[in-house]
Amino acid sequence: MDNCIFCKIINREIPSDIVYEDDKIIAFKDVNPVAPVHVLIIPKEHIASAMDITEENAPVVAHIFNTAKKIAEIMGIEKSGFRIVNNCGENAGQTVFHMHFHLIGGKTLLWP
Ligand code: AMP
Ligand code: ZN
């Protein structure tokens, strides 16, 4: 989608540190990490937020979660553990409206 920063990352129009890619999804390091490991996993299809998941595009969400363990292994946090976070909308602080899942780890995480 035009003017979407994450679509531009997918299309290599702006640089990013990609850690995993396949035909449906891409994962890259967050430019402003909140933990030693902070990766964003996104669908290649532009889906604005979790509110825009439909019966048709929902399989990519399953694929993201099925691939998260592989990305955790790539990042070396599969044994120590991690958190997967999706911010949806204003109150959650979503700033980029191309749905993404934060994969966060590498230290003990506080909750909430
Ligand atoms: P959210 O607040 O859930 O919408 O998260 C957006 C995330 O995207 C933030 O953690 C930003 O640091 C990250 N971000 C924004 N622009 C870029 C970029 N060009 N490359 C990597 N991460 C980015
Ligand atoms: Zn997009």
Side-chain angles (χ1 to χ4, degrees), residues 5-6 9 14-16 28-33 38 40 86-87 92-96 100 102:
I5 191 167
F6 287 178
I9 284 176
I14 62 168
S16 70
F28 52 94
K29 291 185 184 172
D30 195 296
V31 77
N32 188 210
H38 187 169
L40 301 176
N86 169 253
N87 293 321
Q94 184 178 1
T95 57
V96 178
H100 49 282
H102 300 254

Side-chain angles (χ1 to χ4, degrees), residues 56 61 70 89:
E56 287 70 39
V61 180
K70 201 182 294 179

Side-chain angles (χ1 to χ4, degrees), residues 4-107:
C4 170
I5 191 167
F6 287 178
C7 282
K8 286 181 178 163
I9 284 176
I10 293 163
N11 295 329
R12 308 299 203 272
E13 290 167 34
I14 62 168
S16 70
D17 196 342
I18 294 165
V19 299
Y20 176 86
E21 181 171 19
D22 63 29
D23 57 329
K24 296 182 187 67
I25 66 174
I26 190 165
F28 52 94
K29 291 185 184 172
D30 195 296
V31 77
N32 188 210
V34 300
V37 174
H38 187 169
V39 168
L40 301 176
I41 313 174
I42 70 173
K44 288 190 169 176
E45 178 186 353
H46 181 91
I47 300 169
S49 82
M51 281 303 293
D52 299 290
I53 296 170
T54 64
E55 202 62 31
E56 287 70 39
N57 65 26
V60 76
V61 180
H63 180 60
I64 284 172
F65 276 81
N66 190 39
T67 309
K69 59 182 187 277
K70 201 182 294 179
I71 299 170
E73 284 172 358
I74 290 168
M75 302 307 293
I77 57 168
E78 77 280 10
K79 289 194 175 70
S80 54
F82 52 87
R83 183 170 291 154
I84 299 173
V85 176
N86 169 253
N87 293 321
C88 179
E90 189 180 340
N91 276 1
Q94 184 178 1
T95 57
V96 178
F97 284 81
H98 181 129
M99 181 177 68
H100 49 282
F101 294 86
H102 300 254
L103 176 71
I104 299 166
K107 69 170 187 180

